[in-house]
Amino acid sequence: MLLDQGAQLAIYDPMVPESQVREKLDAGKDGSYVVCADAVTAAVDAQAIVVLTPWPEFRSANWHIVFDMMGRPARVFDGHNVLDRQLLEHIGFVVTT
């Protein structure tokens, strides 16, 4: 798990309450992750974004703003192949599906 490897996670899911996210993560890892109120906040200084759900909100996100908030190289891992890869690559993302 990323937390076991020392990663700092910023988590956002529009359909899952923060309490449920925290319940699923190891309580001993407090401080290694933060649950964010929106996708843009989760992207601030991120090295990568991992899309694990097919929610429409991710398809319609303003990826230009997200890109501007991220570190470089900005990476997107699209686990459901729901994002517009051509658009993301045009913006400057390194995309993996």
Side-chain angles (χ1 to χ4, degrees), residues 4 10 12 22 29 48 54 57 65 74 77 84 90:
D4 294 332
Y12 171 68
R22 292 190 181 283
K29 305 275 194 248
E57 179 173 337
I65 291 174
F77 297 90
D84 183 340
H90 177 74

Side-chain angles (χ1 to χ4, degrees), residues 6-95:
Q8 300 291 312
L9 303 181
I11 300 166
Y12 171 68
D13 188 320
M15 306 303 256
V16 179
E18 179 176 344
S19 60
Q20 188 175 347
V21 171
R22 292 190 181 283
E23 181 181 301
K24 296 288 182 187
L25 296 174
D26 182 359
K29 305 275 194 248
D30 243 5
S32 296
Y33 69 90
V34 61
V35 180
C36 299
D38 58 72
V40 173
T41 302
V44 173
D45 295 328
Q47 294 174 328
I49 292 177
V50 180
V51 178
L52 298 174
T53 60
W55 306 133
E57 179 173 337
F58 297 122
R59 275 180 255 151
S60 63
N62 187 329
W63 288 101
H64 292 279
I65 291 174
V66 171
F67 183 80
D68 289 343
M69 300 300 234
M70 293 180 67
R72 301 292 183 270
R75 300 181 184 278
V76 173
F77 297 90
D78 183 2
H80 283 271
N81 208 20
V82 296
L83 303 177
D84 183 340
R85 182 183 189 125
Q86 252 186 324
L87 170 66
L88 294 175
E89 289 175 342
H90 177 74
I91 293 169
F93 285 100
V94 176
V95 181

